[in-house]
Amino acid sequence: EKDPYGFLKLEEEKILGESSNCLKLRIFALTGKYIRDPNLFAFGNFILSAISKKQIEIRSKQKVIRSYGHASDITKFGIEWLLSDKSIKQNLINAATHTVSLVELANMISKKYQLGPIISEIKDDYNVNDYTCNVNSFIDILGYYKIKPTTLDKQVEETFNFLNSLEQ
């Protein structure tokens, strides 16, 4: 009841696992060229603010922390995994390389695109909204396939360029 989305994702993973021994990638928050619904998620919303040169506003009153995976890194891994004879022991992979609070992310984007101070009313006495994973596992897997993870700054830049191209 507290997290129907997470529950349904786990159910889907269980069904996939019962029907085949496939590789399952758990994507927490996606960045890059294939970002979905940018207005719906903070990362995309912050980038859209940067494109329109508006101050970033964090709408949540609670601290929010997310793990981000770059679409290009995930795609490169998938291709390498399919074409390689190198096996990996995991069949469920948390596909993220960076964990950051929305305040840190908003400040980074604001500084990069000179948007001024962020607007936020986060209360320390609220529970933390945490949808994260241990990113070291995916970083290690990328290294195993000789893929260098995209920096968070580069993820911001590539997402900005992609969404900006859609706006024009």
Side-chain angles (χ1 to χ4, degrees):
E1 290 179 11
K2 288 184 179 182
D3 183 14
Y5 176 75
F7 173 78
L8 291 173
K9 286 186 67 100
L10 287 173
E11 286 296 304
E12 184 178 46
E13 289 172 2
K14 190 165 74 173
I15 291 168
L16 282 170
E18 290 170 356
S19 61
S20 74
N21 190 20
C22 63
L23 178 65
K24 296 177 285 287
L25 298 174
R26 185 177 288 159
I27 308 211
F28 286 74
L30 191 66
T31 67
K33 188 173 180 181
Y34 302 103
I35 189 171
R36 282 185 349 111
D37 304 321
N39 265 319
L40 199 57
F41 301 103
F43 193 101
N45 190 268
F46 295 173
I47 298 295
L48 292 174
S49 291
I51 289 168
S52 60
K53 302 192 182 328
K54 294 179 183 171
Q55 279 180 291
I56 292 175
E57 182 176 355
I58 297 177
R59 296 182 191 129
S60 176
K61 293 205 182 290
Q62 66 188 134
K63 183 176 183 179
V64 178
I65 305 171
R66 294 289 182 264
S67 291
Y68 290 98
H70 189 249
S72 179
D73 292 346
I74 296 166
T75 303
K76 287 176 191 172
F77 161 69
I79 291 168
E80 288 295 324
W81 177 79
L82 284 170
L83 298 177
S84 177
D85 57 359
K86 291 180 172 182
S87 65
I88 52 175
K89 292 181 172 81
Q90 297 171 254
N91 69 349
L92 173 63
I93 297 172
N94 292 326
T97 56
H98 295 80
T99 296
V100 64
S101 76
L102 293 190
V103 170
E104 293 170 307
L105 180 63
N107 282 324
M108 176 186 164
I109 293 170
S110 289
K111 183 178 178 183
K112 183 175 184 72
Y113 296 103
Q114 302 167 351
L115 304 177
I118 65 170
I119 301 165
S120 173
E121 295 181 16
I122 291 177
K123 311 283 187 217
D124 287 334
D125 55 341
Y126 282 40
N127 289 334
V128 175
N129 180 323
D130 186 336
Y131 190 56
T132 62
C133 65
N134 177 352
V135 298
N136 293 325
S137 175
F138 190 55
I139 291 170
D140 290 346
I141 290 169
L142 290 176
Y144 181 70
Y145 287 98
K146 301 196 180 345
I147 301 166
K148 186 177 178 192
T150 306
T151 66
L152 189 57
D153 186 62
K154 188 74 172 166
Q155 290 181 43
V156 166
E157 189 176 308
E158 288 185 13
T159 307
F160 179 96
N161 291 339
F162 172 67
L163 292 178
N164 194 36
S165 73
L166 296 178
E167 295 285 315
Q168 297 174 7

